[in-house]
Amino acid sequence: DTGVSQNPRHKITKRGQNVTFRCDPISEHNRLYWYRQTLGQGPEFLTYFQNEAQLEKSRLLSDRFSAERPKGSFSTLEIQRTEQGDSAMYLCASSSVNLVSNQPQHFGDGTRLSIL
Amino acid sequence: AQSVAQPEDQVNVAEGNPLTVKCTYSVSGNPYLFWYVQYPNRGLQFLLKYITGDNLVKGSYGFEAEFNKSQTSFHLKKPSALVSDSALYFCAVRDGSNAGNMLTFGGGTRLMVKP
């Protein structure tokens, strides 16, 4: 399977704890995105990378959130001092963008975070 | 700013009948439009996109969508619905004039196809 892979699929933690999620994009894709989806809503953009550079961050990404893509391959999303409102599905997507083509974003199955 | 509206929370259709899921958008530059489908506890699956060219776009699983610039709409259609089409459908837009690639999604429409 060469799709977008996210780990873990589910994470349950106590309020105040730190959590980290991992995303492995489709190997030839140079762009990687993070979205958050709450129940009954559409995904909301958090941030994206082109190769290892983080190019855009949503105002939803508070200072408790940090994302990295150190070698331009996999990415991690860390949430520090988790709060109840952080409970959501965190989706990762990747795409290949160049001057010739504009390919759609392909999504992983997400990490569902539950804060107790 | 860009936005997407999906006016129907749920669409019910009988198997074999045609279906339409509505989407309207707002974007300041060139609209790049997408439809995705989501099954329970899964990520989003790409169905089709409009970037430029023919207003009628054909995608996966027999779905198609019609881009209407004057009505700023991009409705999803299928001539004959299947029970297996029952899922959550999301319309998304991004500004093609912007180098960024942020997608803005609608709130989703649940499609229920009854046998």
Side-chain angles (χ1 to χ4, degrees), chain A residues 9-110:
Chain A
R9 290 295 314 279
H10 304 275
K11 179 70 176 178
I12 301 173
T13 192
K14 293 181 179 179
R15 183 168 55 90
Q17 298 295 304
N18 299 342
V19 294
T20 300
F21 313 139
R22 175 177 170 129
C23 171
D24 288 88
I26 293 171
S27 59
E28 63 268 26
H29 285 181
N30 55 357
R31 285 198 174 175
L32 185 149
Y33 315 82
W34 286 99
Y35 292 84
R36 181 174 69 187
Q37 184 180 22
T38 52
L39 205 58
Q41 302 294 321
E44 295 172 294
F45 171 79
L46 293 178
T47 188
Y48 90 93
F49 294 83
Q50 178 150 322
N51 301 313
E52 65 275 11
Q54 188 173 17
L55 296 186
E56 191 169 348
K57 293 195 286 187
S58 162
R59 61 181 179 276
L60 292 176
L61 211 68
S62 75
D63 56 6
R64 295 185 298 105
F65 288 68
S66 62
E68 296 182 342
R69 193 182 184 199
K71 297 182 180 179
S73 57
F74 73 91
S75 174
T76 57
L77 178 67
E78 181 183 15
I79 308 175
Q80 296 182 326
R81 306 181 303 281
T82 52
E83 301 174 355
Q84 291 282 351
D86 296 332
S87 295
M89 174 83 89
Y90 290 84
L91 294 166
C92 176
S94 69
S95 72
S96 176
V97 178
N98 55 46
L99 292 175
V100 177
S101 68
N102 200 325
Q103 296 302 311
Q105 296 176 25
H106 294 270
F107 284 78
D109 284 339

Side-chain angles (χ1 to χ4, degrees), chain B residues 28-103:
Chain B
S28 54
N30 296 327
Y32 288 7
L33 295 153
F34 304 83
W35 275 100
Y36 286 85
V37 60
Q38 187 176 35
Y39 295 96
N41 298 313
R42 301 297 301 275
L44 278 68
Q45 270 182 255
F46 169 74
L47 283 179
L48 52 79
K49 67 178 179 178
Y50 171 83
I51 304 297
T52 186
D54 289 342
N55 290 342
L56 186 63
V57 179
K58 294 188 183 296
S60 306
Y61 313 118
F63 284 94
E64 57 189 30
E66 187 166 11
F67 170 65
N68 187 317
K69 187 175 181 179
S70 63
Q71 296 185 4
T72 61
S73 67
F74 189 57
H75 301 329
L76 181 70
K77 300 181 181 184
K78 187 174 182 180
S80 178
L82 300 173
V83 172
S84 57
D85 292 330
S86 299
L88 197 52
Y89 289 80
F90 290 98
C91 181
V93 68
R94 84 167 185 87
D95 186 344
S97 309
N98 190 330
N101 211 27
M102 181 187 83
L103 284 177

